[in-house]
Amino acid sequence: MLSILAQADIPDIQWLPLIPHLVMAGGAVVLLTIVSVAGRWLPKWFPAAWTVATGLAVLATAIPVWIRAWQWGPHSVVAGSIGVDGFSVFIIVLLACTVVLTALVADGFLQRESVDGPAFYVLLMLSAAGGITMASANNLIVLFLGLEILSLAVYVLVAMHLRRAESQEAGIKYFVLGAFASAFLLYGIALVYGATGSLNLAGIQNILENERLSDNGLLLAGMAMLLVGFGFKVAAVPFHAWTPDVYQGAPSPVVSYMAAGVKAAGFAALLRVFFAGFGEVADDWQPVVFGLAIASLAVGSMLAIVQTDVKRILAYSSISHAGFILVGVQAATDDGVASVLFYLAAYAAMAIGSFAVITVVSSPGDEGTALENLQGLAARRPLLAGAFTVLLLSQAGIPFTAGFWAKFEVITAAVDARSFWLAVIAMLAAVVAAFLYLRIVVAMFLDAPDPDAPRLRIPRGPALAVAIVVLFTLAFGIYPEPLLNLADDAWLNLRLYAH
């Protein structure tokens, strides 16, 4: 056995680029160990504080990785399976921020609902660790492992509210459909390997530079299967059927993480595979993404209008936002990908803030999420209603908000790529979607509050999270250049590696 190990080709592991991965996953394992050993003596706030500290530690450890990516140039480690580049660091920072904000949102909710707090935070960090792996993967098998780590933890998070039947139902639906999506993704990986003989994205890119894709139906089928798998994760039509029911049934803090972190990780993996791996044959997958974008924009905007539950409204809104992001993906240009990264950051803030408000407003049992529960919110809690209004207007794309620049950038990228019809449809979808956000604003400010409604208590965690995301939305709505430049630099750093 020792002789076999001595002859094995063991890759040289450079630990610095792996530290953010290890900190996020290690934070979950250490928290689980501490709670198992000394859970009786720990204060109730400890798991949330530990999760916030872990997220901040990941942010700190991402800084030297970013510096290394720019000093050494984009490169890979662990036998070429993990990429070290600005793109991966951008997504790592985004996921770490998502974990911090979700932990703040969840603290009061878990205590109110008597849900097992430590398990929630452990699963949250494990899921984020899987997302970090997805964003950094240069190998399709590593990417699949990251996807499963992310997904399995979220399946449990969705079904965590054991005393609520809707949560159990949502968990089953998400698990069953997620298993189908994972099967499609794995089958697509197998077909790509059969067509190219490589699982490494750089290796696939090199092969495609010298081979005509039209002569290889196996590779086309593999790309289609991969799009199906990623389409499920990002809630793109027609792979969106799970979204409204799961968003409505899952605990509200879990939905905030799904809308922000899971969507960001899914799009990061899609961008990495189709630009760093299949970038040379973009003409062959652009038409499919074109169709997915149009379908997502139309279905998300139109069906959201007829909903009466705020979580279902925001679920269809999430589908519409996936369509806008796909507009930037379809452009298949540097500006298009940079606009997608900016959109992911802006939407993560808007989604977490919006569901934080829903978490506060919902009554015990997480049942009070109907539109009528928001009636007169401005009279009861004017600051909360004002913050929610800013986030809704940002989602609608109103100027001087980050959401406006996000939509503007992806539509501009589509126009520059001469996808004029897609740009027109995106603008029309933005106008239609504005109506549903205004419905919520009208309910908060113009409808009379219920005189029998209990006094609304706002825990400090969700209040802090909402304040942070509102400041973020307004700051980058007024002055978006720093975030735009950061997104542009992050993509160009990966592009150097891809080419």
Side-chain angles (χ1 to χ4, degrees), residues 184 187-189 191-192 195 213 216-228:
F184 273 101
Y187 195 18
I189 291 172
L191 293 178
V192 170
L213 184 63
N216 199 330
L218 195 63
L219 188 55
L220 282 172
M223 290 168 57
M225 294 286 186
L226 290 173
L227 272 178
V228 171

Side-chain angles (χ1 to χ4, degrees), residues 296-320:
S296 301
L297 289 168
V299 172
S301 300
M302 298 301 295
L303 293 187
I305 294 176
V306 299
Q307 306 301 317
T308 58
D309 186 276
V310 180
K311 289 173 76 173
R312 292 185 72 89
I313 291 174
L314 294 179
Y316 281 106
S317 168
S318 174
I319 296 170
S320 177

Side-chain angles (χ1 to χ4, degrees), residues 154-210:
V154 177
Y155 297 153
V156 181
L157 286 172
V158 170
M160 275 199 74
H161 205 319
L162 300 179
R163 290 179 299 280
R164 188 164 181 257
E166 292 87 348
S167 179
Q168 308 300 299
E169 180 184 352
I172 291 294
K173 288 180 179 179
Y174 193 39
F175 172 72
V176 172
L177 294 176
F180 275 107
S182 296
F184 273 101
L185 189 71
L186 191 58
Y187 195 18
I189 291 172
L191 293 178
V192 170
Y193 179 73
T196 63
S198 176
L199 292 170
N200 185 273
L201 296 180
I204 294 172
Q205 181 86 328
N206 292 332
I207 292 170
L208 295 181
E209 288 179 352
N210 303 309

Side-chain angles (χ1 to χ4, degrees), residues 51-191:
T51 305
V52 170
T54 300
L56 295 177
V58 173
L59 289 176
T61 57
I63 295 174
V65 180
W66 177 272
I67 295 173
R68 172 172 171 154
W70 283 102
Q71 288 181 342
W72 290 28
H75 57 284
S76 59
V77 296
V78 193
S81 61
I82 298 295
V84 184
D85 45 65
F87 176 87
S88 62
V89 177
F90 186 95
I91 300 299
I92 288 171
V93 170
L94 179 56
L95 288 173
C97 293
T98 300
V99 167
V100 170
L101 294 172
T102 302
L104 292 175
V105 173
D107 185 33
F109 176 89
L110 296 176
Q111 295 184 31
R112 185 187 77 188
E113 302 296 326
S114 299
V115 177
D116 187 5
F120 176 93
Y121 297 108
V122 169
L123 291 168
L124 175 65
M125 288 186 282
L126 287 176
S127 177
I132 290 174
T133 302
M134 289 173 64
S136 306
N138 274 343
N139 183 287
L140 291 176
I141 293 298
V142 174
L143 183 145
F144 180 75
L145 292 175
L147 175 71
E148 288 305 294
I149 294 172
L150 175 140
S151 300
L152 291 172
V154 177
Y155 297 153
V156 181
L157 286 172
V158 170
M160 275 199 74
H161 205 319
L162 300 179
R163 290 179 299 280
R164 188 164 181 257
E166 292 87 348
S167 179
Q168 308 300 299
E169 180 184 352
I172 291 294
K173 288 180 179 179
Y174 193 39
F175 172 72
V176 172
L177 294 176
F180 275 107
S182 296
F184 273 101
L185 189 71
L186 191 58
Y187 195 18
I189 291 172
L191 293 178

